[in-house]
């Protein structure tokens, strides 16, 4: 090794040693600064969130005497932390709720009148899959989930549990299950706690966490309609987050209630005195989760703590179905969590679709027949509005011989001047025949809000849940005639017959309407024909293959009725009479509409521009 190498290694070693000392000194100073800040923070720490207090007296290993060090300063709390958990039950005809004395919390909730898709019991959350805790500073930071409450009273409809303190007073949790209702009242009380809770403590925290299991057949459909909602008192509707994807939201203002919403069932927590702030979160499990869990929801809410010998805070729980009428009956806008669309679509759904659905349900037990009748009624109601456009389409089909003559007279589509003359001749022909070329767009514009309303209504309608029709066992989920056993990209692991039939009828209807279009033989319209004939039906098939069978069934019926209407109207219009009207008007002046005048003016300007461009080209 030469001299330069030795010097190099020595310099590197010195730099390394110096850097080590430098980092150690920085770490020491940072530790001192942190310790100083921690001391200041500990002295000024708000009593609502003194998380460090929970570990000030952590459990130590047993010494030689066999005694363990107490975790809590309060001996009653220490005993409660070690006491044995017990389970108590509240139930009525629709709901069974088990409560744990450990934290005085809901332990499990089962809905008696509903079943999972696989016929097992339907739990809003299974035993042990919920956490409900009150966090409070009582001279030391405590969370009620760490303590076993004593059972102070129990009746057929209520349970009372208490957590006593050495300094006097207790925290009480009372749960009351109302009649044959999905509502559970929770009354949280702080009794005789003036000597336990410092006067400067003005709030406490409520932590509520729930893991909701899968309940439906289709994972994609279930996650797409599952979300978290929260509501500000006085607003028209709640705010939603999630909807099939993990999300969280910090809310700094007062809110009235929040909801953990599965596709057809929800857990709602309302504070009549309102929460002062909160942090809400939702996360979804993977489809292959071995426990078949759907989503984990959490709400970390802050609430104001009053003063007095007995401070009572009312809370309300709802564990039940997303039934529009049931949710609306509570008068708290719970029904707004059901996705019915925007103001126009939602208005149509609430005041037309739902009443019509309920009316037919009184007399007909088959929901497949109810959907058929609803589709017929809707088509009949809008038919007077769509007749003109269907008739216009039929007349355009009758004009095909005259359109062929115009196409033959102006065959050069690459000549802009010739194309303008072709457009003018075509518009004149339409005017003499009384045809509106834009009339074909009207049915789509009129039926789009209805189609969107149905798209929102059927997957969210709990009435269709587990209702069978023909080969479909559950109209709220996809129908499956072939199960592949493996997942295929875009398609899934099955084949829906309703989705396949819907796509086929869409192709037939597109074929029928495209044949009457004036540009049916125009090569420039090939891409449009390809989109209408092939891309749209294929796309709709892939979209609907995993969605509600009721939705695909409705689209199928709607297309079939539209095909029948188009065919009947075309048969009712005599092509010869349309052509005679055109020939009789030849050579006569045609009254022009304002729109046609503006169009012709635009065409004349375009012709002038073309002529000027041609003149400039010749000069060059």
């Amino acid at each position: 090794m030469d001299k330069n190498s030795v010097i190099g290694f020595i310099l590197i070693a010195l730099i390394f040693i110096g850097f080590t000392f430098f980092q150690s000194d920085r770490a020491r100073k940072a530790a001192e600064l942190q310790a100083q800040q921690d001391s200041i923070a500990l002295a000024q720490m708000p009593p609502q969130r003194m998380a460090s207090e929970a570990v000030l007296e952590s459990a130590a290993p047993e010494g030689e005497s066999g005694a363990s060090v107490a975790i809590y300063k309060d001996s009653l709390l220490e005993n409660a932390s070690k006491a044995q958990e017990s389970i108590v039950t509240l139930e009525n005809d629709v709901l069974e709720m088990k409560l744990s004395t450990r934290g005085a919390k809901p332990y499990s909730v089962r809905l008696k009148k509903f079943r999972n898709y696989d016929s097992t019991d339907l739990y809003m959350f299974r035993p042990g899959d919920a956490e409900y805790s009150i966090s409070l500073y009582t001279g030391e930071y405590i969370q009620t989930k760490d303590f076993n409450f004593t059972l102070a009273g129990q009746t057929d409809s209520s349970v009372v549990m208490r957590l006593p303190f050495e300094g006097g007073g207790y925290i009480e949790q009372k749960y009351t299950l109302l009649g044959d209702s999905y509502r559970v009242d929770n009354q949280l009380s702080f009794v005789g706690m003036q000597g336990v809770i410092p006067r400067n403590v003005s709030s406490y925290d409520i932590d509520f966490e729930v893991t909701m299991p899968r309940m439906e057949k289709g994972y994609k459909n279930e996650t797409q309609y599952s979300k978290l909602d929260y509501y500000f008192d006085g607003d028209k509707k709640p705010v939603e987050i999630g909807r099939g994807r993990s999300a969280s939201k910090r809310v700094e203002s007062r809110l009235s209630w929040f909801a953990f919403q599965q596709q057809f069932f929800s857990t709602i927590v309302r504070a009549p005195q309102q929460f002062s702030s909160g942090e809400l979160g939702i996360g979804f499990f993977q489809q292959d989760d071995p426990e078949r869990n759907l989503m984990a929801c959490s709400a970390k809410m802050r609430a104001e703590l009053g003063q007095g010998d007995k401070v009572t805070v009312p809370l309300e729980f709802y564990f039940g179905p997303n039934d529009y009428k049931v949710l609306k009956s509570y008068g708290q806008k719970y029904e707004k969590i059901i996705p019915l669309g925007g103001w126009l679509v939602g208005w149509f759904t609430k005041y037309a679709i739902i009443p019509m659905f309920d009316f037919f349900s009184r007399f007909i037990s088959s929901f497949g027949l109810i959907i058929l009748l609803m589709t017929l009624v809707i088509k009949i109601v809008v038919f007077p509005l769509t007749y003109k456009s269907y008739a216009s389409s039929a007349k355009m089909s009758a004009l095909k011989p005259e359109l062929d003559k115009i196409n033959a007279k102006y065959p050069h589509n690459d000549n802009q001047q010739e194309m303008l003359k072709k457009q003018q001749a075509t518009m004149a022909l339409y005017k003499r025949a009384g045809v509106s070329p834009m009339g074909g767009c009207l049915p789509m514009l009129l039926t789009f809000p209805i189609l969107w309303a149905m798209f929102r209504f059927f997957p969210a309608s709990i009435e269709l849940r587990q209702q069978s029709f023909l080969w479909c066992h559950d109209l709220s989920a996809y129908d499956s005639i072939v199960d592949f056993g493996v997942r295929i990209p875009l398609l899934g692991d099955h084949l829906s017959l309703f989705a396949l039939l819907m796509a086929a009828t869409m192709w037939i209807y597109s074929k029928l309407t495209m044949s009457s279009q004036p540009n049916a033989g125009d090569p420039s319209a090939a891409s449009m024909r390809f989109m209408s004939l092939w891309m749209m039906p294929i796309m709709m098939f892939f979209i609907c293959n995993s969605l509600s069978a009721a939705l695909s069934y409705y689209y199928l019926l709607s297309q079939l009725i539209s095909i029948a209407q188009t065919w009947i109207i075309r048969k009712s219009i005599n092509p010869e009479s349309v052509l005679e009207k055109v020939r009789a008007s030849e050579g006569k002046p045609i009254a022009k509409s304002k729109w046609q005048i503006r169009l012709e003016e635009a065409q004349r300007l375009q012709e002038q521009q073309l002529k000027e461009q041609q003149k400039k080209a010749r000069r060059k």
Side-chain angles (χ1 to χ4, degrees):
M1 183 180 296
D2 59 12
K3 181 180 179 181
N4 292 334
S5 299
V6 173
I7 294 173
F9 277 115
I10 292 173
L11 289 175
I12 292 173
L14 290 174
I15 293 171
F16 178 77
I17 294 170
F19 181 76
T20 303
F21 277 111
F22 175 73
Q23 286 294 97
S24 299
D25 186 60
R26 286 187 61 185
R28 179 182 58 78
K29 290 181 180 179
E32 291 175 355
L33 179 61
Q34 185 63 46
Q36 183 181 9
Q37 291 175 345
D38 289 345
S39 298
I40 295 172
L42 186 60
Q44 299 177 348
M45 187 175 293
Q48 297 87 350
R49 278 293 183 192
M50 301 181 67
S52 60
E53 280 287 331
V55 293
L56 282 177
E57 297 196 29
S58 59
E62 293 188 358
E64 295 180 1
S65 62
S68 60
V69 178
I71 301 175
Y72 300 97
K73 299 174 183 178
D74 190 310
S75 61
L76 293 183
L77 291 182
E78 181 68 20
N79 293 335
S81 69
K82 299 174 182 178
Q84 195 68 30
E85 174 188 33
S86 61
I87 305 297
V88 293
T89 303
L90 285 177
E91 62 181 315
N92 56 24
D93 289 343
V94 299
L95 183 69
E96 178 195 72
M97 180 181 188
K98 291 186 180 295
L99 297 158
S100 170
T101 56
R102 190 75 178 180
K105 65 185 179 183
Y107 184 70
S108 69
V109 171
R110 178 174 67 89
L111 302 186
K112 293 184 175 182
K113 292 189 175 182
F114 298 92
R115 309 284 287 180
N116 292 324
Y117 178 77
D118 58 4
S119 298
T120 56
D121 290 340
L122 191 150
Y123 282 90
M124 295 299 298
F125 48 88
R126 291 175 291 211
D129 280 353
E131 195 65 76
Y132 178 51
S133 182
I134 306 301
S135 301
L136 180 69
Y137 184 71
T138 61
E140 55 186 327
Y141 180 75
I142 66 166
Q143 294 178 297
T144 57
K145 68 179 181 179
D146 298 326
F147 306 102
N148 196 70
F149 282 57
T150 58
L151 189 60
Q154 183 176 7
T155 67
D156 292 339
S157 60
S158 66
V159 170
V160 179
M161 291 177 277
R162 291 174 181 171
L163 178 65
F165 289 79
E166 190 178 46
Y170 54 86
I171 296 176
E172 181 180 277
Q173 286 279 28
K174 181 179 180 181
Y175 294 91
T176 304
L177 180 57
L178 307 176
D180 293 333
S181 172
Y182 296 103
R183 173 178 154 182
V184 178
D185 282 353
N186 173 217
Q187 185 173 288
L188 170 64
S189 300
F190 302 93
V191 182
M193 298 281 285
Q194 301 96 319
V196 178
I197 303 175
R199 290 185 179 182
N200 64 333
V201 175
S202 60
S203 65
Y204 62 95
D205 293 319
I206 301 174
D207 294 338
F208 187 47
E209 300 176 3
V210 168
T211 298
M212 298 184 71
R214 288 182 57 185
M215 307 173 194
E216 314 305 328
K217 177 182 179 180
Y219 173 81
K220 180 180 178 181
N221 208 34
E222 188 174 7
T223 54
Q224 185 174 345
Y225 287 90
S226 298
K227 54 189 173 69
L228 191 151
D229 310 271
Y230 58 95
Y231 177 73
F232 299 106
D233 194 29
D235 280 6
K236 291 183 178 180
K237 61 180 182 179
V239 181
E240 65 175 51
I241 62 172
R243 189 177 285 278
R245 64 183 185 277
S246 299
S248 62
K249 179 69 175 181
R250 175 69 188 173
V251 182
E252 298 293 350
S253 54
R254 300 175 69 86
L255 66 155
S256 179
W257 54 261
F258 60 87
F260 302 152
Q261 181 189 349
Q262 186 262 1
Q263 183 179 4
F264 294 118
F265 303 93
S266 289
T267 294
I268 304 175
V269 182
R270 175 176 173 264
Q273 298 176 359
Q274 299 194 24
F275 302 107
S276 57
S277 62
E279 187 170 350
L280 302 156
I282 180 173
F284 287 87
F285 291 85
Q286 295 297 320
Q287 184 172 357
D288 56 358
D289 180 64
E291 301 296 326
R292 287 187 59 81
N293 288 318
L294 175 68
M295 60 185 185
C297 304
S298 65
K300 301 182 182 300
M301 315 304 294
R302 177 155 292 184
E304 295 174 356
L305 180 65
Q307 299 293 327
D309 183 62
K310 183 177 181 179
V311 179
T312 300
V313 183
L315 293 170
E316 297 172 4
F317 289 88
Y318 173 85
F319 303 105
N322 297 336
D323 184 295
Y324 185 84
K325 295 183 291 296
V326 173
L327 292 173
K328 189 176 177 63
S329 67
Y330 289 96
Q332 301 298 332
K333 296 191 182 296
Y334 293 161
E335 73 279 3
K336 297 292 185 178
I337 67 174
I338 300 176
L340 299 179
W343 70 269
L344 177 60
V345 173
W347 182 91
F348 180 78
T349 303
K350 285 186 288 186
Y351 299 109
I353 300 300
I354 292 178
M356 181 166 46
F357 186 87
D358 292 340
F359 174 78
F360 286 128
S361 299
R362 297 176 191 171
F363 312 104
I364 302 172
S365 58
S366 172
F367 284 89
L369 294 179
I370 291 174
I371 295 173
L372 172 60
L373 291 174
M374 289 176 64
T375 310
L376 287 170
V377 169
I378 292 171
K379 284 292 186 179
I380 291 171
V381 169
V382 302
F383 183 71
L385 301 175
T386 59
Y387 172 79
K388 185 176 180 180
S389 57
Y390 282 126
S392 179
S393 177
K395 289 178 181 179
M396 289 172 70
S397 180
L399 290 173
K400 193 172 186 307
E402 295 297 318
L403 291 170
D404 290 341
K405 292 179 182 178
I406 294 175
N407 290 330
K409 185 176 180 180
Y410 304 103
H412 301 103
N413 293 324
D414 56 345
N415 188 318
Q416 293 187 19
Q417 192 169 0
E418 190 169 304
M419 283 294 294
L420 287 173
K421 292 180 180 179
K422 180 180 178 179
Q423 291 174 4
Q424 291 173 349
T426 302
M427 293 301 298
L429 176 64
Y430 288 158
K431 188 64 179 179
R432 291 198 301 270
V435 173
S436 173
M438 300 299 294
C441 299
L442 187 59
M444 182 182 295
L445 294 176
L446 290 173
T447 58
F448 181 76
I450 299 173
L451 290 174
W452 185 246
M454 294 302 189
F455 184 84
R456 304 289 282 182
F457 173 73
F458 286 128
S461 176
I462 194 170
E463 290 83 358
L464 297 176
R465 186 177 184 269
Q466 298 180 0
Q467 296 294 329
S468 61
F469 180 67
L470 298 178
W471 59 84
C472 177
H473 300 294
D474 186 351
L475 283 169
S476 70
Y478 60 82
D479 62 298
S480 177
I481 57 167
V482 178
D483 292 312
F484 304 133
V486 294
R487 292 189 58 79
I488 299 174
L490 299 179
L491 187 61
D493 59 358
H494 65 276
L495 184 66
S496 166
L497 182 55
F498 273 133
L500 192 61
L501 292 174
M502 178 272 301
T505 55
M506 181 178 286
W507 183 89
I508 294 171
Y509 181 66
S510 297
K511 185 76 172 176
L512 184 64
T513 54
M514 289 294 291
S515 63
S516 65
Q517 297 300 315
N519 58 356
D522 189 350
S524 63
S527 60
M528 183 63 69
R529 290 199 304 273
F530 177 76
M531 284 292 296
S532 298
L533 285 175
W534 298 105
M535 285 301 296
M536 286 302 297
I538 292 173
M539 287 172 59
M540 286 299 294
F541 166 71
F542 280 107
I543 291 172
C544 293
N545 189 59
S546 297
L547 297 183
S548 165
L551 186 64
S552 299
Y553 174 54
Y554 168 75
Y555 286 167
L556 168 64
L557 293 174
S558 181
Q559 295 286 343
L560 288 173
I561 295 172
S562 296
I563 290 171
Q565 288 177 334
T566 303
W567 185 81
I568 292 171
I569 292 173
R570 285 191 179 183
K571 288 296 182 181
S572 66
I573 293 177
N574 186 356
E576 288 301 322
S577 63
V578 176
L579 294 174
E580 287 177 5
K581 182 179 179 180
V582 171
R583 291 165 187 150
S585 63
E586 288 181 354
K588 296 180 180 180
I590 303 172
K592 299 179 181 180
S593 64
K594 293 181 179 179
W595 179 81
Q596 190 172 6
I597 292 173
R598 287 195 296 267
L599 179 63
E600 290 181 355
E601 181 63 27
Q603 289 175 340
R604 279 195 294 269
L605 290 173
Q606 193 173 1
E607 283 184 20
Q608 292 177 2
Q609 291 175 356
L610 286 172
K611 288 179 180 178
E612 290 177 2
Q613 290 176 1
Q614 290 173 355
K615 289 179 180 179
K616 290 179 180 179
R618 292 193 197 101
R619 291 171 185 171
K620 292 179 180 180

